[in-house]
């Protein structure tokens, strides 16, 4: 039962973060950023977010931008 709940939370976070990244993230022109997976801890206090960036040349730049704006993304998610 708890595993089903975590799976539902993972999917909901994936959808919400996908929308937030689309609106808030500063991606270079021509880059496509997709949230591919979210893994929450059993206590729901932490989550690993996996993203895909195409083309690969922009991956480092996009990841640095997401890391730089992590606090803002968390605040939008919390609202």
């Amino acid at each position: 039962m708890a595993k089903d709940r975590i799976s539902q939370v993972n999917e909901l976070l994936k959808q919400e973060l996908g929308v937030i990244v689309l609106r808030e993230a500063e991606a270079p022109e021509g880059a496509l950023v997709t949230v591919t997976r979210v893994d929450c801890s059993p206590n729901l206090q932490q989550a690993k977010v996996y993203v895909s960036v195409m083309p690969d040349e922009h991956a480092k730049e996009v990841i640095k931008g997401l890391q730089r704006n992590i606090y803002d993304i968390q605040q939008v998610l919390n609202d």
Side-chain angles (χ1 to χ4, degrees):
M1 178 109 86
K3 195 166 194 148
D4 290 336
R5 179 175 179 233
I6 292 176
S7 295
Q8 290 174 344
V9 170
N10 288 340
E11 187 61 32
L12 180 61
L13 281 174
K14 181 177 123 180
Q15 291 173 2
E16 291 297 319
L17 286 170
V19 171
I20 292 168
V21 167
L22 181 65
R23 284 185 306 187
E24 305 288 330
E26 299 171 11
E29 187 69 30
L32 176 65
V33 182
T34 306
V35 177
T36 58
R37 189 173 88 194
V38 175
D39 289 333
C40 286
S41 63
N43 62 6
L44 302 177
Q45 290 186 345
Q46 295 180 351
K48 288 185 181 179
V49 179
Y50 298 85
V51 296
S52 171
V53 180
M54 293 179 71
D56 290 337
E57 303 87 55
H58 297 299
K60 285 185 180 182
E61 183 179 351
V62 169
I63 297 299
K64 283 183 183 180
L66 289 172
Q67 289 174 336
R68 189 172 46 248
N69 294 319
I70 191 73
Y71 179 77
D72 295 331
I73 293 169
Q74 286 174 341
Q75 292 306 309
V76 172
L77 184 62
N78 289 337
D79 288 342

